């Protein structure tokens, strides 16, 4: 487990204690909640940035490589379902 020491000015320290108390948790618990929310927000920002980059990469979005395989599957004769074969 990671452990650290914070050096805060008196006003910020007082705010931290009061905010934790108002939320009904310890200072450690409140800071942990704040950091977990920030971690989730950072993950959402990264995902949004990745999708934006993907959206700008025309080569990555190209699905033409799959067209021939899709055409082969579409041209195959339709098979009866397992249930239909079993019902005989």
């Amino acid at each position: 487990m990671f452990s650290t020491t914070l050096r805060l000015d008196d006003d910020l320290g007082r705010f931290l204690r009061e905010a934790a108390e108002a939320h009904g948790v310890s200072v450690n618990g409140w800071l942990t909640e704040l950091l977990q929310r920030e971690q989730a927000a950072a993950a959402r920002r990264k995902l949004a940035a990745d999708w934006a980059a993907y959206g700008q990469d025309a080569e990555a979005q190209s699905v033409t490589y799959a067209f021939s395989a899709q055409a082969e599957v579409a041209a195959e004769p339709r098979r009866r379902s397992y249930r239909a074969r079993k019902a005989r």
Side-chain angles (χ1 to χ4, degrees):
M1 177 162 292
F2 177 78
S3 180
T4 190
T5 301
L6 293 174
R7 284 188 281 281
L8 305 172
D9 64 36
D10 292 338
D11 289 337
L12 194 53
R14 190 172 18 266
F15 169 78
L16 181 58
R17 283 191 302 274
E18 290 170 358
E21 186 177 321
H23 285 86
V25 295
S26 66
V27 168
N28 182 68
W30 194 63
L31 287 174
T32 299
E33 288 177 22
L34 289 175
L35 289 171
Q36 287 171 337
R37 279 187 265 167
E38 178 54 32
Q39 184 180 38
R44 287 190 300 274
R45 286 190 302 270
K46 181 180 181 336
L47 182 60
D50 289 349
W51 274 108
Y54 173 74
Q56 295 173 357
D57 186 352
E59 186 176 324
Q61 292 185 33
S62 175
V63 293
T64 55
Y65 68 89
F67 288 162
S68 61
Q70 289 173 347
E72 288 175 26
V73 170
E76 290 179 359
R78 187 167 187 175
R79 297 181 183 154
R80 293 185 339 178
S81 72
Y82 171 75
R83 288 185 179 159
R85 287 186 300 225
K86 188 177 176 185
R88 284 174 150 201

